[in-house]
Amino acid sequence: MATAELAGKHLVLGMTGGIACYKIAELTRLLTKAGATVQVVMTEAATQFITPVTMQALSGRPVYTSQWDARVPNNMAHIDLSREADAIVIAPASTDFLAKLAHGMADDLLSTLCVARDCPLLVVPAMNRQMWQNPATQRNVTQLRADGIEVLGPDSGPQACGEVGDGRMLEAAATYEAIASFFSPKILSGRRVLLTAGPTFEPLDPVRGITNRSSGKMGFALARAAQQAGAEVHLIAGPVALETPWGVFRQDVQTAQQMHDAVMRSVADADIFIGVAAVADWRVDHASEHKIKKTAERALPTFTFVENPDILAAVAKLPHPPFAVGFAAESGDLEVHGEEKRARKNVPLLIGNLGPLTFGLDDNEVILFEAGGATKLPRADKQTLARALIVEIARRLPDTSLIR
Ligand SMILES: Cc1cc2nc3c(=O)[nH]c(=O)nc-3n(C[C@H](O)[C@H](O)[C@H](O)COP(=O)(O)O)c2cc1C
């Protein structure tokens, strides 16, 4: 999450009666940390699962539970609360509440607020698998979608009741991601983005190998930003300890050759290719099949290296290449090497990490190299920078890629 990525957004967070209410404490924290203001409204049943006191403390605002609440000056909480809202999010959304929404019922504050809204409505269902599969619930969900209501989830897996199946609420982090994605402008809608991220690992023997200090953070941030911009995202990742961004298809590889082969298998479908991975230039020729032993009499091992395929150049050489974007990490003279590398690889855009190597850090500063010259983007955390880069990439897409 980037700092303040929901700054200026005001959400009404409606809670209904279900065990998953415990997840909303964490969701509220994530939303407020991202700069959103959160007005919690709870049904009577929701207050049986978590107290309004907890939700008030976490949201920093008084919680509303009744339409007869005299704290609202004109006594019309059901109208006033949603008027400032950028969206209403119902989480958890009970079976009962989905039914009420589908039928336009208005018999408590939260349901009345939803019927009287003039902003988008998102629901995050949470229920037992039989309740979710019930034909009435499925009918109601179909109706909600037809009415333009966003249905986020549900997830599948073990449930609080001990059963296993569809119906459990998305985790708080996934719900946050879906909400953040909802608010992102869909500048890559309908586009397919293929990315590589992280380091590669070139084996010396079954237990040792050569890798580099790439953390994968920039590539994963770009994958998340592209997904949020509406693209279908395929991320090919080297060995990294990062969670897959929400809604992104991820494929794990180890070596440069495997990364090359995975890219080549999928690139024909891509409108945009972004090569962020720090791919090893060389690998050991004939890595040992067995662990190389250290013995007193044995001489130090020697290795012969061979060149790995150049993934970016291979993509750029295709007869119908996608819009290809490269990344460069240099330990000096980026201004000189950046443009030279872009021209050599024959890609329209190359993004150079400015200053000392930024592997593993949360912040980055980059220069965009293209035929017309170089543009510097201000230093920012990698997620904010990723969003800015997606805007820059979207702006440069040739019209022809619209019809790939
Ligand atoms: C312990 C317990 C757990 C419940 N969990 C859920 C749940 O996860 N999902 C759901 O739809 N209903 C659940 N219910 C039932 C709802 O709380 C009940 O239908 C209630 O009327 C919903 O009211 P509301 O929609 O106004 O919040 C649960 C009930 C109890 C007693």
Side-chain angles (χ1 to χ4, degrees), residues 70-103:
R71 284 174 298 177
V72 178
N74 62 3
N75 224 318
M76 291 200 210
H78 66 286
I79 307 286
D80 287 13
L81 290 179
S82 77
R83 286 298 172 267
E84 315 154 12
D86 293 292
I88 300 176
V89 180
I90 307 294
S94 66
T95 315
D96 170 65
F97 203 78
L98 296 181
K100 277 187 181 174
L101 283 177
H103 293 86

Side-chain angles (χ1 to χ4, degrees), residues 16-19 43 45-46 49 94-97 100 108 126-128 131:
T16 69
I19 299 285
T43 63
F49 293 87
S94 66
T95 315
D96 170 65
F97 203 78
K100 277 187 181 174
D108 62 6
M127 63 200 66
N128 162 272
M131 293 169 94

Side-chain angles (χ1 to χ4, degrees), residues 298-302:
R298 196 174 192 276
L300 289 175
T302 52

Side-chain angles (χ1 to χ4, degrees), residues 40-90:
V40 176
V41 177
M42 299 171 80
T43 63
E44 190 65 37
T47 65
Q48 296 290 323
F49 293 87
I50 188 167
T51 66
V53 173
T54 300
M55 297 314 302
Q56 175 167 352
L58 290 169
S59 65
R61 287 173 161 246
V63 170
Y64 289 88
T65 57
S66 160
Q67 47 184 337
W68 318 119
D69 195 320
R71 284 174 298 177
V72 178
N74 62 3
N75 224 318
M76 291 200 210
H78 66 286
I79 307 286
D80 287 13
L81 290 179
S82 77
R83 286 298 172 267
E84 315 154 12
D86 293 292
I88 300 176
V89 180
I90 307 294

